[in-house]
Amino acid sequence: MSDLEDIRTFYARLMAANAASSDPRLEEVFASVPREAFLGPGPWTVITGNGTVTTPSADPAHICQNVLVALDADKGINNGEPFLHAMWIGKVAPKPGEAITHIGAGSGYYTALLAKLVSPGGTVTAFEIDENLAGLARKNLETYGNATVFHGDAVTSPLSPSDIIYVNAGVVAPPAGWLKALRPGGRMIFPWRPAERVPLAILVTRTEKGFACDPFMRAWFIPCFGASLADLAAKIPTREQATRSRSIWLVEDRQPDRTATAIFEHVWFSSKAVSVRG
């Protein structure tokens, strides 16, 4: 085994361990998808705290670790933290044959991982609103026959029925169309940012009784165009209220009640849980 193969194997093992997933394929895909193929030519700019560090060379070993790599430093866009994405992918648990919608695909690295995890028979439809990044992702994913990249706005575009919706841009509330696109048993994971002080990652599961939600960690992503500003009549939660949210409802299906932790134009969050079975 060469030094780089050894490094890739260890990187993949770290990602799988952080994900705490029972799916052995997670380690396999992190080992088989070369991260450097989605970052442009090296050396690369690594984001650290409030500053940056440039890798000493274009050796992929420098980015086979849990570091943020800049894609467009001027816009604050990076490739994402591998530990976080490993955990998120483990939580949504992609299975062969499932349909995934990836919102905020960037240059396509995590799209590629998802595409491998739903093979054979599954598909990934990726949206990227930045034209340059969408073009880069489309090129990077040319060899992934089950992944399609659209340069467009996933907030206003209708989504196809999805088993998983994987969101990599912060929203003040999930658009109603995203919830409606979830198939029974479908999972959505997204960065919830109803206020500057409330950056949470939310896992949503569509059950027979409604949309169960689990705020499971702090997370910050760049704002999602078209879904990052609350309407004036919104009830914005405190951090404590947000973390108590256990379900999400469409206003058209059920009006907010005394259990509401947050209320927006089309959706609201409740502290009352629904069953995750069904």
Side-chain angles (χ1 to χ4, degrees), residues 24 179 193 222:
L179 293 168
R193 198 171 177 80
I222 62 171

Side-chain angles (χ1 to χ4, degrees), residues 34 42 62 106 133 258 268:
H62 297 307
L133 283 178
R258 60 182 179 79
W268 61 283

Side-chain angles (χ1 to χ4, degrees), residues 24-80:
R25 300 176 308 138
L26 198 60
E27 182 174 333
E28 294 170 11
V29 299
F30 269 101
S32 64
V33 177
R35 190 183 186 195
E36 69 275 11
F38 297 83
L39 300 178
W44 301 282
T45 300
V46 173
I47 301 167
T48 171
N50 294 322
T52 60
V53 175
T54 301
T55 60
S57 69
D59 186 342
H62 297 307
I63 44 86
C64 284
Q65 52 185 308
N66 189 47
V67 292
L68 290 172
V69 180
L71 294 176
D72 189 328
D74 292 337
K75 294 180 180 178
I77 300 173
N78 60 65
N79 177 245

Side-chain angles (χ1 to χ4, degrees), residues 82 123 132:
T123 60
N132 291 333

Side-chain angles (χ1 to χ4, degrees), residues 188 190 192 201-207 210-216 242-249 261 268-274 276:
M188 174 167 62
F190 69 94
W192 188 28
I202 304 286
L203 176 65
V204 176
T205 305
R206 184 168 194 168
T207 78
F211 298 96
C213 81
D214 174 24
F216 64 93
T243 57
R244 287 194 293 108
S245 300
R246 294 295 178 268
S247 60
I248 303 176
W249 298 91
T261 54
W268 61 283
F269 292 68
S270 170
S271 60
K272 186 175 181 180
V274 296
V276 296

Side-chain angles (χ1 to χ4, degrees), residues 108-260:
Y109 176 53
Y110 299 106
T111 312
L113 297 172
L114 293 168
K116 278 186 167 284
L117 288 167
V118 294
S119 296
T123 60
V124 181
T125 301
F127 286 86
E128 175 51 55
I129 200 163
D130 184 279
E131 185 174 5
N132 291 333
L133 283 178
L136 184 59
R138 194 175 291 117
K139 181 178 179 181
N140 291 339
L141 292 162
E142 284 178 346
T143 59
Y144 294 79
N146 64 334
T148 304
V149 179
F150 290 99
H151 168 231
D153 181 358
V155 174
T156 57
S157 301
L159 302 190
S160 299
S162 305
D163 298 293
I164 294 172
I165 300 177
Y166 193 81
V167 185
N168 293 157
V171 299
V172 71
W178 294 2
L179 293 168
K180 292 177 181 180
L182 278 181
R183 289 172 171 161
R187 293 85 68 201
M188 174 167 62
I189 199 163
F190 69 94
W192 188 28
R193 198 171 177 80
E196 187 71 19
R197 64 186 181 277
V198 188
L200 292 173
I202 304 286
L203 176 65
V204 176
T205 305
R206 184 168 194 168
T207 78
E208 290 180 347
K209 298 181 179 179
F211 298 96
C213 81
D214 174 24
F216 64 93
M217 68 178 289
R218 288 175 58 85
W220 191 93
F221 280 73
I222 62 171
C224 180
F225 182 82
S228 60
L229 296 176
D231 56 280
L232 293 177
K235 175 188 175 182
I236 304 298
T238 64
R239 185 179 300 176
E240 190 274 335
Q241 288 171 329
T243 57
R244 287 194 293 108
S245 300
R246 294 295 178 268
S247 60
I248 303 176
W249 298 91
L250 297 170
V251 172
E252 66 185 63
D253 292 340
R254 179 173 172 177
Q255 289 294 306
D257 58 29
R258 60 182 179 79
T259 69

